[in-house]
Each structure stands twice: as structure tokens, then as C-alpha cells.
Amino acid sequence: MPDLEFWLLDITYAIAKKGLEVRMYGITRSGERVLVVDRTFRPYFYAILRSNIDKNVAVEKLRKRLEAKGAIGVEPAQRKLFGKPKDVAKITVKIPEKVRELRELVKSFPEVEDVVEADIRFYMRYLIDMDLRPSAWIYVDSVEEEPKTDYAEQRVDRVCVVKSRPRVLHDKTDLPDFRILAFDIEVYNPRGTPHPERDPVLIIATCLNGEVELFVCDDSKNDKKIIREFVDYVLQTDPDIIVGYNSNNFDWPYLTKRSEVVGVKLNITRSSSRPEPSVYGHWSVIGRANVDLYNIVEDMADIKLKSLDYVAEYFGILPRSQRVLIPGHRIYEYWDDKSKRPLLLKYAEEDVISTYKLAEKLLPFLIQLSYIAGLPLDQVAAASVGMRVEWMVMYRAYRLGELAPNRVERQGETYRGAIVLEPKPGLHENVAVLDFTSMYPSIMIKYNVSPDTYIDPSEWDKYTEYYEAPEVKHRFRKEPPGLYKTILEELLAKRKEIRELMKRLPDDSPEKKLLDERQKALKVMANAMYGYCGWTGARWYKREVAEAVTAWARAIMRSVLSYARKISLEVIYGDTDSLFVKNIPEKIQKLIDYVERELGFEIKIDKIYKRILFTEAKKRYVGLREDDKIDIVGFEAARGDWADIAKETQEKVAEIILRENDLDKAIRYVSQVINRLRNYQFKLDEVIIWKTIEKNLNEYKTVTPHVYAAKKLVEAGYKVSKGDTIGYVIVKGGGKIAYRAKPYIFVKDLREIDVDYYIEHQVIPAAMRILQVFGVKEDMLLSGKRGRSILDYLA
């Protein structure tokens, strides 16, 4: 029988003529699209048996009862739960649906303490047990080809059944030659929020491997034709990866419902079915990887406004100043006015090109994240950081014989965090930032901090070899290595190995670029392990683990600060695992040597600021780096709920102060912005304030400006949901500011804007966050009055 090597793109399961089968969709080395079937695996779950019973009698009782209900096996086994040995019964069934049916019955047995691992999706159970990874090359040394007639609905080149155990080729990091399709839809919306039962799709824009195709309605707005053309196009071009931007929340639900209304079968999956909503809110397009890029951008704190035009500008794809910008609520106007319709088509084209180019930048990282987390590519972006870590933990737990605990609803718990020092206010020159290398992961490794190594106080007398966390006194066994330590050592060792390999490769080699994305993903997952410790939604949640890590971190930081004082190295600021110190190389080297030699941790210079300004507040500074870039941390410029005019003012003030040392010029600049506002010499975009709706509107007890604006949108027929970002301006009038918030899309004349509000509550406060350190008063900004020399304020 021949062998097979394929890149695992998607995985699911089905109950076919020959029974239950795992279905893996992949791409071979020669570019064939294949369906690889495994019929050997069966679903199962565990019953944890009580400690005071005869295990064999209990297992036999379960077997007799459950086999009569459809179980195909009940076997005794030994596993661990939070590191403690457990006698269990492994219950195997024919089909996944039987797991849900039998788990409640098993719980009712008095011999059973609990049922676990009954909520693991079948195809994920297969990946974990077989130690396979999605987004990786899989090798099977023996397969048998199935007749295509038995799988007529499958849109693949061939179907193979595995005859030996598949395995991952971990050392192969190259990628197949993907067919990547970006798509975006524009919808007719004369009544505000469009409804698929009523409002047609005007344009379906696609970009396949860089080539744009637009499917456009005729004047009758009959979208049945273009939806059918889109379906035919997808089937003809047969993409492997479909990308969109906010497509899980809008494009797929709308297109799916609209196709039902007009009577077109949206059967574009490789199994001849239509897209369906799946886990984590993503839409599954079986056999293809459907990736919503918005899901990954949503986690990027540096990007404050998440709309596609801002994101494309952030990534250097297309500047907003060079593209067509059409407010979403005015799409219908550009359609109805034939003279404007070419702009609408251009807008659609630029959106889909932006989506495709964004995919080029983000997919390499997502592919590596998929491989490391063990989640299929179409799910990894949509899954939360906690869920990505959890699946990674599940793989390792299975290898160590650890049961996956059931997920439990918990209230949030608080515990003391890291050390954050009071900054020394003022302007400082030549400042080095020292960063601990993976401080929290390193603590977890060094002290074997893990939920399965934690020693409950009731068992302290059983252990003589343990680590005890300072202050909180939590204890952890020294041996054997815990679940978290094992995972972190593997991640960090693999990252180190990859970085060494990268040094031997040319900078422009494709292999080096792929390896770089993998080492980034390894770093992200290692650093996310601590966050998982403190996530109350985690299966392996244990507050003591997170609390102990921060306690050790505080002790380490205190020791470092003490040594810095001893060698007279000035510490200007410190936060969690970073120290800002005077850049005196010989003293810094002494500190680095101390940390590595005496404490056993690694610390290095992360960046050097030519000039940095601190206020009296923690976590708030602006600095000019050696590479001439400016960092703004903790100020309005780094927040999304201030108007652009305030953020731009603050950024410019910071730039003038740091680059030019010119306090007078900074004051004059702010005064000019104020005059520009008073004379209405600004664009509407500059004064829009953006804020996210964090809960359902009826849950807000107090009315804030963005909530009031959101309610105005609802009154006008727009749909506003939790998670939506509302854009509003403050207009003239009496009463509270909240009731003067107006959705920006309703503003017809700039003269409606309350410029005094923006001067007094946006521009001046934003500028004063920086300038007050130099004794500047608000009246100086209003008058542009000359101040003292900035040299008077150098710390």
C-alpha cells in the first residue's frame, strides 16, 4: 500500500456508510486536495471511581449496564487528577452522540465520583490521542484509496483511508502553495441596519491570490444572480483558505440567510454543504479554513480603531488618505446615485484588497499558532487566548496521564499583583530599560509551579521536598516536574532551537521567515501560560498558582532594587518585570551579572531612551528611543476613547518636547489647535469619539455619552450590539454632556459641534498630561504665552 504526506488544513467527522470516520482535509506535496479518512478511532470518556469501593466490582457493574445502552467498552484504568492518582473507568462508545447520552447515566452510579472529558469534541479527541497537529505536515506510511463514487459529494482530488497510525513531521516547517480567497460584501441599507430578509447584496468582492473579481447587481438589485455566480466562482477556483474581515459576525450570517431567501444553495464547502456557525463564534466552511482576520486584530492592543480602513493603514497596506471612504450607513446612496456608483465599486475593491493583503501579513503567524495550540486554523483566531493555551495544555496532559478537569463556572478572584514603583517625575536623559526574559514562565519552571504540584496545607506533613512562595506561603512539590513546567520547558527549548537555526539561514530565505513566525508563536504561548493560571474559566484553574508566581516576582524585583541601590545605579521607574535605570553601562552589567549569577534569571537591555518624560502617575510615560521612534504609554494618545484631535495634539506635544527640547513651541502648537477649533477649521473625523458598548444597552444603569448615542442609533433603526464601537461627537446645547452626544453619521454641519467642549475637555487635558510637569498652566495654552526653558526641568 502507498504512503501519503499531506498538510492538515481542516478536520471533522461523519457517520458514513461504513460507520464513524474522522475526516482530515489536506494538501499533498504535489498539490492534490485530499480527504484522509480514519475509521479506527472511537469516542470515549472517563468515570472517576470513589476511593472506598472495590474498583473491579464497580467497573463490572458499569459494563453490564452501559453495554446494554450502546457502550462498546468499559475498562479499568489509572489516571491522575491535579497530580493525584485516580482509579477510573474508560467508557468507549460507537458514536459521539452516545457520549452525551451516557454521561448523565454514568453520573447516577453511586460508585462514580465524577465524569470527566465527556465535553471534548470528537475530532479534537482524535488529534490529542493520536498526537497530531493541524497546520502541519502529516505522514501515513500506508493508505488505501477509496472509490470516488463512494464520496461523490466530496470536492477533493482523491479520498484515502489510513491503514497505519498517522504522525506529525515536526521538523518540516514549509507551507503548501495555498489558494487564498478574500471576500467582502456590500449591502443595500436605506433603512439603517440591513436585514437579509429584505435588503439585497449589491456587491460581492473577491481577491484570489491577488486577483480581484467583483460580482455586481444590475439596476434591479436582483442579487440571486450574483450569489449564484459567487458560488460557482468558489467551486471553480476551489480556495483552501477563505479570509474576511468581521465575516463571522456579518458577511457569512448575512450571505447564508440571504441565499436562503433568494433560493440559492450556498454549498461552497468541500463536503457540498453550506457554511455553518461553529465553536468560538466562527463559521465553518468544511474542508477549507475560514479565517476572520478581525478576530486576531481584536486582540492587538496597539490598534485602537479596528475598522478595516484604520487597520490597513496601521499595517502599511493602504493609507486612509489615498482610499475611498464611504460611511457604512450611506452605501445605499452611492448605489442609488449612478454617478457615485463607481466610487462604491472602488470602495469594495479596496476593502477586499486590504483584506487579502492583511491576510498575507497575519496568516503565517496564525498558521504557527494553530500548530502550537493544536487548534484548527479556522478556529485559532476566533478562540480566546485562554482557550488556545488550554488546548495546548490538553495535549501535554494526555501524554502525562493527567485527566482534563471539567470546566466550572467561578466568580472572579483577586490576588496581589506585581511591583509597580512610583516614577521620578520629570524629563530624564539617557535611560536604559532592563527587561527580565520571560520572568513569569521562568518562575514557573524554576519553582515547579503548577496545579498538579500544589500541596494543600492539609498535606504539608507528607512532603519534605518543596518550594515555598514568599509572603503567601504556598508550597509546590520539587518532583516530579509539573504540567506547566513540562510545557514551558518544551516551548522555551524549542524557541531557542529555532532561533539558533535562524542564525544560519539567509535573511531573505522563506524558511527563515516561517521559522520566525513559529518562534513568535512559541513566545506568545509561553507568555500566555501565566495568564491562563489566573483565568477563572480554565479547566486547570488554581488561584494559589497565580498568587505564588506574582509573590516570587515581587521578591525577585525587591532583590534587584536592593542591589541597584548598593551599586548606586539610579532606578527611575519599575513595572512588573521591567526597570528604567540611568544608562551607565558598567553598573548595568554588574546588575545583569547579579541577576543571572545570584538569582538564576536572565535580564537584558530591551531599549534605550535618549530622552524620557515621567509624570507622577504609574504606567504613564513618553520616550524618544535611540531609533528615533517615540513611545507613548498610558496617555490619551494610546487610548481609543479620545477624539483624534486630542490624541494628535498630545503626540505632537510629546514629539516637540522630546525631539526639539522646545517648550515654547509646544505651547504655541496647542494654542494653534485651539484657534483652529474656534474657527471650525477641522474635519469631522478629528472630533469623533469612539467607545465600545461593553454590555447590552438595557444593562447600563447610568447614561454615558456613547450609550446615549447608541440609543439614538437604535431609535433611527440601526442595530447596536454588545461589542460594537460607537462613534459620536458632542454638540452644542444645554444640560449634561451625555445628552449632547450625537452619532457622527447624523451630523450635517460642523457648526453643530461644541468646540468649547473639545478645547476644555479634550485638547487642553491631553496636552496638560505632559506639559504640567514643566509648570505650564492652562491659560498659557489658551494664550500661547511664552514659558520657561525646558532645561529648567531636566531631572
Side-chain angles (χ1 to χ4, degrees), residues 67-186:
E67 286 181 352
K69 293 288 186 178
I72 58 176
V74 181
E75 303 297 331
Q78 272 271 323
R79 292 290 184 273
K80 292 178 289 183
L81 184 66
F82 287 103
K84 295 180 179 178
K86 294 286 182 181
D87 288 303
V88 300
K90 180 182 178 181
I91 300 156
T92 307
V93 298
K94 287 184 179 179
I95 58 174
E97 287 67 24
K98 276 290 178 183
V99 172
R100 292 186 284 272
E101 181 184 323
L102 293 183
R103 66 183 175 187
E104 296 305 318
L105 174 60
V106 172
K107 283 181 184 178
S108 69
F109 280 70
E111 296 85 356
V112 173
E113 182 180 299
D114 202 0
V115 169
V116 294
E117 301 199 2
D119 58 348
I120 298 175
R121 298 190 297 281
F122 177 57
Y123 59 85
M124 291 302 300
R125 175 86 275 170
Y126 176 81
L127 289 174
I128 291 168
D129 287 30
M130 303 296 281
D131 201 20
L132 299 179
R133 298 292 175 124
S135 301
W137 290 101
I138 310 293
Y139 179 74
V140 192
D141 61 21
S142 180
V143 298
E144 186 177 90
E145 196 159 329
E146 287 282 284
K148 279 296 295 288
T149 52
D150 290 353
Y151 290 86
E153 81 285 357
Q154 296 296 326
R155 295 187 173 106
V156 293
D157 297 317
R158 59 187 173 117
V159 180
C160 299
V161 179
V162 303
K163 295 299 179 182
S164 61
R165 186 185 177 102
R167 60 184 176 87
V168 179
L169 301 175
H170 291 288
D171 58 332
K172 296 192 176 181
T173 57
D174 60 313
L175 300 178
D177 187 13
F178 295 119
R179 295 192 286 259
I180 301 173
L181 175 72
F183 87 108
D184 183 54
I185 67 173
E186 305 300 339

Side-chain angles (χ1 to χ4, degrees), residues 11 52 85 87 130 146 149 152 198 206 370 373 430 506 518 558 568 579 598 741 756:
I11 183 168
N52 58 348
D87 288 303
M130 303 296 281
E146 287 282 284
T149 52
R198 174 190 69 208
T206 65
S370 165
N430 195 22
R518 180 163 291 190
R558 288 193 194 99
S568 300
L579 281 178
E598 301 296 329
D756 289 334

Side-chain angles (χ1 to χ4, degrees), residues 418-419 433-443 446 495 523 527 552-561 563 574-580 591-592 594-607:
I419 286 179
V433 182
L434 295 174
D435 261 6
F436 280 88
T437 302
S438 304
M439 179 193 246
Y440 284 5
S442 298
I443 289 171
K446 182 173 182 177
R495 182 169 183 248
K523 179 182 179 181
N527 289 336
W552 262 302
R554 290 193 298 273
I556 292 165
M557 188 63 87
R558 288 193 194 99
S559 179
V560 174
L561 290 169
Y563 188 78
D575 184 356
T576 309
D577 59 356
S578 297
L579 281 178
F580 294 67
L591 186 66
I592 290 172
Y594 168 77
V595 170
E596 293 182 353
R597 183 183 63 252
E598 301 296 329
L599 304 181
F601 290 87
E602 184 181 346
I603 193 170
K604 62 187 180 191
I605 296 176
D606 178 55
K607 62 184 77 168

Side-chain angles (χ1 to χ4, degrees), residues 422-621:
E422 295 287 343
K424 293 183 177 179
L427 194 66
H428 304 263
E429 293 196 325
N430 195 22
V431 173
V433 182
L434 295 174
D435 261 6
F436 280 88
T437 302
S438 304
M439 179 193 246
Y440 284 5
S442 298
I443 289 171
M444 294 163 76
I445 290 171
K446 182 173 182 177
Y447 300 111
N448 203 21
V449 183
S450 189
D452 53 319
T453 61
Y454 171 69
I455 306 171
D456 189 270
S458 64
E459 297 182 325
W460 278 7
D461 58 341
K462 294 182 181 179
Y463 301 93
T464 57
E465 295 290 317
Y466 57 82
Y467 297 107
E468 184 175 277
E471 300 177 59
V472 295
K473 305 301 181 185
H474 300 318
R475 294 180 180 180
F476 299 87
R477 296 195 307 272
K478 289 188 175 182
E479 295 291 342
L483 183 59
Y484 290 176
K485 178 177 180 176
T486 306
I487 293 169
L488 285 166
E489 283 183 332
E490 184 179 305
L491 291 174
L492 297 181
K494 190 65 182 175
R495 182 169 183 248
K496 186 176 181 180
E497 177 188 324
I498 288 172
R499 286 165 70 87
E500 288 300 316
L501 178 59
M502 287 171 61
K503 291 177 183 177
R504 302 195 293 270
L505 296 171
D507 288 343
D508 58 350
S509 76
E511 186 182 1
K512 184 167 186 173
K513 291 175 183 176
L514 287 171
L515 287 173
D516 188 41
E517 297 298 341
R518 180 163 291 190
Q519 70 87 16
K520 286 177 187 174
L522 286 164
K523 179 182 179 181
V524 165
M525 292 298 278
N527 289 336
M529 282 293 297
Y530 166 72
Y532 180 77
C533 295
W535 178 40
T536 54
R539 290 179 188 269
W540 278 273
Y541 174 73
K542 195 167 281 293
R543 178 184 55 80
E544 292 85 355
V545 170
E547 200 169 44
V549 173
T550 56
W552 262 302
R554 290 193 298 273
I556 292 165
M557 188 63 87
R558 288 193 194 99
S559 179
V560 174
L561 290 169
S562 175
Y563 188 78
R565 284 193 294 271
K566 182 179 176 181
I567 62 174
S568 300
L569 177 62
E570 183 185 359
V571 176
I572 298 159
Y573 179 59
D575 184 356
T576 309
D577 59 356
S578 297
L579 281 178
F580 294 67
V581 301
K582 272 291 183 183
N583 186 24
I584 305 171
E586 61 274 15
K587 291 186 178 182
I588 287 175
Q589 189 57 52
K590 280 186 179 180
L591 186 66
I592 290 172
D593 292 342
Y594 168 77
V595 170
E596 293 182 353
R597 183 183 63 252
E598 301 296 329
L599 304 181
F601 290 87
E602 184 181 346
I603 193 170
K604 62 187 180 191
I605 296 176
D606 178 55
K607 62 184 77 168
I608 293 174
Y609 288 108
K610 292 191 282 188
R611 195 169 290 112
I612 188 168
L613 171 70
F614 285 99
T615 70
E616 294 181 354
K618 297 177 180 180
K619 298 180 182 288
R620 185 178 290 173
Y621 59 87

